[in-house]
Amino acid sequence: MKVLVATEKPFSAKAVEGIRHRIEEAGHTFALLEKYKSADELRAAAADADALIVRSDIVDEAIFAAAPKLKIVVRAGAGYDNIDLKAATAAGAIVENTPGQNANAVAELVIGMAIMAARNKYCGTTGFEISGKRLGLQAFGQVSRHVAAIAKGFGMDITAIDPFCPAEAIEAQGVKVATSLEELYAGNDIVSIHIPATPQTVGSIGRDLISRLPKGAVLINTARKEVINEAELAEVLEARPDIKYFADVKPGNADELSDRFGDRIFFTPKKSGAQTAEANLNAGLAAADQIVAFFRDGTDRFRVN
Ligand code: 3PG
């Protein structure tokens, strides 16, 4: 079977070599496409592939049409909103992700961003300490759990909300449970977003929630830019000069926000939450192992379609 690793944003060299080793050791053929510039390049490279490993790369209907042999696509990471699941199913391909493999890397970035915001982007003015502050986690998946564990070490007071996670499971981690999103936003000095982009969540965080943040609060988004109503975010940043927005997912209106609120916002130039040597290796090897297992005996534990 031919396994193509197609990553516009490359994994570390060590992760690529690890994936190659696992694929070839299992008797498959390994191929690599990195830093490609167009969907055409991806379509051409995938034409004879049986399996595909991607990151945030767009895998749409056109890819499945151009790659008729594709049997499995593994998103080496958590969010799979970049993959057209309907098209995959229609093409007879299964889609998997590698949940949790890059969670600590993203969580460390959340804490880094919290401190960077608290210290006014290290500009020398008086900031605040995150110790003793209230941290709100919107959703309580793998990244959130790591954030909570690290934040406890900083002495933060942590609250979460997650409609898909029982309250007892949240409380078992020493984290309080908010009864509504409104309460989460109103009651925390730092709110960190950890929801996926789905038809239900896209544009769901806007004026109503953001304007409830308490004085001097920071909103951190390492999830997906699509979950924010960007026009309403700009409105609230205008009306509330005390609020900050720090994100690992650059908004569509980044230039406008930078011009108007430069000292209170921050965006990474390229999504970098999962961009650590450790996360690349964990997610890359997990993806390779999942493909090997699938071709060996049909194992599809992490299937999402
Ligand atoms: C994820 O969903 O796993 C993260 O957003 C990381 O995405 P990336 O692999 O494109 O950096």
Side-chain angles (χ1 to χ4, degrees):
M1 299 288 176
K2 178 173 171 179
V3 181
L4 172 68
V5 174
T7 51
E8 184 275 321
K9 182 173 64 183
F11 286 126
S12 66
K14 192 175 169 192
V16 172
E17 278 322 298
I19 298 169
R20 178 197 297 274
H21 180 74
R22 303 259 171 123
I23 297 296
E24 290 180 346
E25 194 180 42
H28 303 301
T29 305
F30 172 89
L32 180 65
L33 174 71
E34 290 180 328
K35 295 186 188 171
Y36 59 89
K37 299 273 180 276
S38 70
D40 282 350
E41 270 182 81
L42 176 54
R43 283 195 289 272
D48 60 348
D50 299 281
L52 192 55
I53 296 176
V54 293
R55 298 184 64 177
S56 291
D57 309 81
I58 304 295
V59 183
D60 56 12
E61 209 174 349
I63 300 284
F64 290 105
K69 292 168 73 185
L70 265 187
K71 295 158 192 67
I72 176 168
V73 177
V74 179
R75 194 286 191 232
Y80 45 88
D81 47 309
N82 51 316
I83 300 175
D84 186 334
L85 297 187
K86 262 197 191 151
T89 305
I94 75 153
V95 178
E96 299 187 1
N97 65 349
T98 64
Q101 300 294 344
N102 58 22
N104 185 64
V106 181
E108 289 189 10
L109 185 71
V110 171
I111 299 296
M113 283 186 159
I115 294 173
M116 190 187 186
R119 296 303 183 99
N120 302 324
K121 297 208 265 186
Y122 312 118
C123 75
T125 58
T126 300
F128 65 87
E129 296 175 26
I130 63 171
S131 176
K133 298 297 180 300
R134 300 166 298 174
L135 171 66
L137 300 172
Q138 184 175 357
F140 201 64
Q142 305 256 17
V143 176
S144 268
R145 286 161 208 241
H146 280 82
V147 174
I150 301 169
K152 264 185 234 164
F154 278 90
M156 299 191 82
D157 176 9
I158 312 160
T159 303
I161 187 165
D162 190 328
F164 304 104
C165 182
E168 309 78 64
I170 297 176
E171 284 160 353
Q173 307 295 315
V175 173
K176 291 186 255 180
V177 179
T179 55
S180 67
L181 276 177
E182 289 75 13
E183 182 187 306
L184 187 87
Y185 275 71
N188 286 286
D189 306 298
I190 296 171
V191 171
S192 188
I193 300 167
H194 296 289
I195 54 175
T198 67
Q200 291 73 37
T201 64
V202 167
S204 64
I205 302 169
R207 186 190 312 104
D208 179 53
L209 288 175
I210 304 170
S211 62
R212 288 175 195 266
L213 288 167
K215 192 165 167 39
V218 181
L219 181 60
I220 297 176
N221 185 4
T222 55
R224 290 292 181 270
K225 77 183 178 76
E226 290 81 4
V227 302
I228 300 284
N229 180 323
E230 294 173 346
E232 292 186 8
L233 168 68
E235 271 177 40
V236 181
L237 285 169
E238 177 73 45
R240 290 279 309 274
D242 56 300
I243 286 179
K244 292 179 181 156
Y245 180 66
F246 276 43
D248 186 34
V249 282
K250 212 173 183 173
N253 58 350
D255 289 344
E256 181 209 333
L257 295 182
S258 298
D259 288 349
R260 293 172 64 190
F261 316 109
D263 53 338
R264 291 187 287 128
I265 52 162
F266 173 78
F267 313 123
T268 48
K270 205 170 180 92
K271 186 159 61 126
S272 47
Q275 201 61 327
T276 66
E278 294 85 349
N280 282 182
L281 199 60
N282 292 343
L285 293 186
D289 288 345
Q290 286 171 216
I291 286 173
V292 168
F294 176 71
F295 285 136
R296 189 187 56 227
D297 57 19
T299 300
D300 62 357
R301 180 171 164 217
F302 296 105
R303 184 173 183 165
V304 295
N305 68 332

